[in-house]
Amino acid sequence: MAKQERLALEAVHKAPEPVCGCTHHLAKHDNQGRCHERVEVPTAWDENKKPVRYEAGQCNCQQYVGPQPLSQVFAEELTDRA
Ligand SMILES: [Zn+2]
Ligand SMILES: [Zn+2]
């Protein structure tokens, strides 16, 4: 594997930020998994479907299921080294 590729892979594997699928940090989520991050919700669009007005809202994510299991990442690295 090219060195550049390996570096890119390592960067992906490190991913130290526990970020939810909604792109917000997991610290923004409560025990029930609800995200409390403030978001801007578009309420009006122009003819190009571009939002022209926003309303303050709350992220409606409820997908937090805990930290992702790391076993797959480790397995991949071991296979790669062998
Ligand atoms: Zn979330
Ligand atoms: Zn969120």
Side-chain angles (χ1 to χ4, degrees):
M1 187 186 288
K3 194 183 178 194
Q4 207 172 346
E5 270 180 75
R6 175 170 282 280
L7 284 176
L9 268 182
E10 278 173 7
V12 169
H13 284 171
K14 271 176 199 165
E17 284 290 304
V19 174
C20 176
C22 69
T23 73
H24 298 133
H25 199 280
L26 293 188
K28 301 285 185 182
H29 297 66
D30 66 18
N31 291 338
Q32 275 74 49
R34 291 212 183 86
C35 182
H36 289 269
E37 181 67 292
R38 296 287 182 86
V39 293
E40 288 183 326
V41 184
T43 57
W45 294 262
D46 67 11
E47 64 271 22
N48 297 317
K49 293 188 178 168
K50 204 177 157 203
V52 292
R53 202 185 306 154
Y54 295 89
E55 205 170 72
Q58 188 182 308
C59 180
N60 62 5
C61 164
Q62 295 181 23
Q63 299 294 310
Y64 177 46
V65 292
Q68 292 293 311
L70 291 172
S71 52
Q72 198 183 345
V73 171
F74 285 126
E76 278 171 16
E77 274 185 348
L78 286 175
T79 314
D80 193 43
R81 255 175 220 144

